[in-house]
Amino acid sequence: MATSRAGTARIDITPDWPVMMAGFGQRTQPSQGVLDRIFVKALFLDDGENRLLLITADLISTPRQLGEAVALALGERLGLAPEQICVCASHTHSGPVPHDAGDGAPGIAAFAASLQAAMILVGVQAVDTARPCLVRTGVGELDGFLNRRTRGAPNLVDRRIPVVIADDAETGAPIAVLFGAGCHPVTLGWDNLHISGDFVGLAQRAIEAATPGVNALFFNTTEGNVVPITSPNRDALDPRGYVGGSYADTRKMGEDLARAVTDVLASATVTAPLRVSSDRQSLFLKPNFADYSPEAAAALLADARATLATYLGPDLERGLPPGPLWSVASEVVVARDLSEDDMRELMIACCRYLGLYQRPAVATPPRPVKAPVQVMRINDFELLALPGEVMVEVGQAWSELAASPTAFIVGLANAHLRYLPLASHFAEPEASVRYETVTAGLQSGEVEVALEHAAAMLAGLRAA
């Protein structure tokens, strides 16, 4: 079993200058300091025949441009194929914007350039430091999550905490712990202007403190409709649900998650030699609103603007793009303490306006979007990496397709197509006023297409 190898590395990517922060549209000014350092980390696994490199980052997402550039560079330097590289984000809402859109966002051009270089370097370092290792897997549990879409009734969440442990074959000491959980890292809200990995960053530090010499890496699973149990039980659209959080909440959630991981670290055993395999396809799927004609989109846009005018009044022009529409609308929700129905009407109008305001200028329907879908096997773990925020029910569907209790999602991986709900979510009576469906990146039924392709890839890996 000692012929298997593993390597790991980490690089601090904390910007020590003001940068625009990602995750909350209510923020209109750059960061004002640092609560805790943020990192990119890598874990390399080699079973003697197949190799796999996973890169994790304390960031809101993995923009497609970034994921592709990193995979291309690492492929050229290390001889790895695209299916052997997975780049994913923790989804902290207190990190920097990860991609320079050319809009002059404070500090982002410098950060984005340094980020790409760090991701490439950390991957190289993980491969260069590979040594004989034994790999263990185990599954913990954490009861600390709230389904914000159902408001906890029923509280449909995935409590499983998948853990992969790489131990030095000579000393038996763990060198890396890769773990996942399905929850938005939003114990810190939009009123926080300090860089932080949120509770999942704290969990990584707690694991490392409890296990000297280990590198702890986090990936998010099915966080799309899930928030920490410490969050206010409000509608996903409601800005009042993401303000006033405290670092005490961060500490509680992070320490609880770290404890679930260290329990597995103490109990998991090596049951077989390391086995890794992977496959990846780039699908071209229909984006949300793809079937709307320019005329239909213009009509929806006019309705949204009329609603915005009703609520925002003289502040409307200040908020319209390129203005801070989400921030202006949130100010109204908080200042007037709008009812939930009024809040939804206003915030959904924002979603529709922001999603469609450029559409009337487009003569043809939007083109299909590129969606990287990746399947990875690490011993008994069967991981599906998807490019966006994955709903709990998608994870359940993957477990059913895999017919395995150790099938998990790796969300926010290789690209970012916003929310990824199932057709059943779009069929719900209130789907037209629910955040995760209105802002979904793909049209109803397209996630099922991705699942079908993933199931076929998994069958191929199992048969190999």
Side-chain angles (χ1 to χ4, degrees):
M1 286 190 286
T3 57
S4 302
R5 299 187 311 138
T8 192
R10 56 192 281 141
I11 294 176
D12 189 330
I13 57 168
T14 314
D16 292 319
W17 62 90
V19 296
M20 284 307 298
M21 299 170 69
F24 293 114
Q26 291 88 354
R27 294 187 182 117
T28 58
Q29 55 183 311
S31 60
Q32 296 180 355
V34 175
L35 274 178
D36 46 74
R37 312 298 292 182
I38 59 174
F39 296 85
V40 292
K41 302 178 181 180
L43 173 63
F44 173 67
L45 300 173
D46 180 355
D47 67 7
E49 294 184 4
N50 297 304
R51 299 181 293 167
L52 184 62
L53 177 63
L54 297 104
I55 298 175
T56 67
D58 296 322
L59 296 170
I60 187 71
S61 65
T62 307
R64 181 177 58 81
Q65 302 93 325
L66 176 64
E68 290 181 347
V70 170
L72 178 63
L74 289 173
E76 292 174 348
R77 293 186 62 170
L78 303 174
L80 295 172
E83 65 268 18
Q84 296 176 305
I85 303 169
C86 180
V87 183
C88 62
S90 72
H91 203 48
T92 176
H93 282 46
S94 290
V97 172
H99 174 65
D100 181 14
D103 56 1
I108 295 306
F111 177 75
S114 65
L115 172 63
Q116 181 171 315
M119 282 189 164
I120 295 167
L121 180 59
V122 81
V124 171
Q125 290 178 345
V127 174
D128 286 347
T129 59
R131 68 187 84 169
C133 279
L134 306 177
V135 174
R136 301 178 278 151
T137 58
V139 182
E141 186 171 303
L142 178 60
D143 186 14
F145 309 136
L146 173 69
N147 189 307
R148 67 182 185 183
R149 191 174 176 88
T150 65
R151 308 286 285 276
N155 194 29
L156 180 63
V157 298
D158 190 348
R159 296 179 176 84
R160 298 175 302 163
I161 308 297
V163 183
V164 177
I165 306 151
D167 297 321
D168 186 290
E170 182 177 349
T171 67
I175 65 166
V177 177
L178 172 72
F179 68 101
C183 183
H184 268 78
V186 290
T187 59
L188 302 170
W190 49 271
D191 50 339
N192 170 52
L193 292 176
H194 289 74
I195 298 295
S196 172
D198 208 282
F199 79 89
V200 298
L202 191 146
Q204 292 172 73
R205 296 194 303 279
I207 294 164
E208 291 164 353
T211 316
V214 79
N215 192 23
L217 306 86
F218 173 81
F219 65 93
N220 221 315
T221 61
T222 50
E223 50 69 47
N225 42 349
V226 180
V227 293
I229 198 70
T230 56
S231 299
N233 192 350
R234 288 187 178 269
D235 186 277
L237 284 161
D238 197 333
R240 294 166 294 196
Y242 305 95
V243 66
S246 72
Y247 205 72
D249 296 334
T250 308
R251 186 176 297 109
K252 170 183 167 36
M253 288 293 301
E255 290 176 350
D256 287 350
L257 178 54
R259 195 173 302 114
V261 174
T262 54
D263 285 349
V264 175
L265 184 60
S267 61
T269 58
V270 177
T271 58
L274 174 64
R275 305 181 312 280
V276 298
S277 59
S278 54
D279 197 2
R280 174 170 165 165
Q281 294 180 7
S282 289
L283 307 180
F284 288 87
L285 303 174
K286 289 184 178 181
N288 205 5
F289 301 117
D291 291 341
Y292 283 48
S293 67
E295 293 77 18
L300 275 176
L301 190 62
D303 287 344
R305 183 176 178 126
T307 299
L308 292 172
T310 299
Y311 284 97
L312 304 185
D315 285 329
L316 174 64
E317 294 303 323
R318 176 168 70 92
L320 291 182
L325 182 59
W326 200 258
S327 176
V328 171
S330 296
E331 291 171 6
V332 170
V333 172
V334 174
R336 300 184 194 173
D337 195 22
L338 294 184
S339 68
E340 185 160 301
D341 286 345
D342 287 349
M343 176 279 300
R344 272 194 187 182
E345 184 177 36
L346 172 56
M347 301 311 289
I348 284 293
C350 287
C351 292
R352 289 184 177 142
Y353 195 93
L354 292 170
L356 291 169
Y357 77 94
Q358 293 177 318
R359 186 62 189 282
V362 180
T364 58
R367 296 175 181 174
V369 294
K370 188 176 182 180
V373 177
Q374 184 177 23
V375 175
M376 300 170 286
R377 302 185 77 204
I378 304 174
N379 289 356
D380 59 326
F381 280 14
E382 295 177 316
L383 308 174
L384 169 57
L386 290 174
E389 301 190 47
V390 184
M391 310 286 273
V392 176
E393 294 88 343
V394 176
Q396 291 180 325
W398 174 239
S399 293
E400 292 170 5
L401 286 168
S404 169
T406 51
F408 302 97
I409 298 292
V410 179
L412 303 135
N414 302 314
H416 186 49
L417 300 179
R418 303 193 302 276
Y419 286 93
L420 301 177
L422 295 171
S424 58
H425 292 110
F426 285 95
E428 291 174 358
E430 294 188 324
S432 63
V433 291
R434 304 302 292 272
Y435 184 52
E436 299 90 350
T437 36
V438 171
T439 62
L442 297 176
Q443 195 176 91
S444 176
E446 294 296 84
V447 171
E448 283 84 348
V449 173
L451 286 167
E452 291 172 6
H453 282 266
M457 284 190 279
L458 178 59
L461 293 176
R462 286 174 171 176

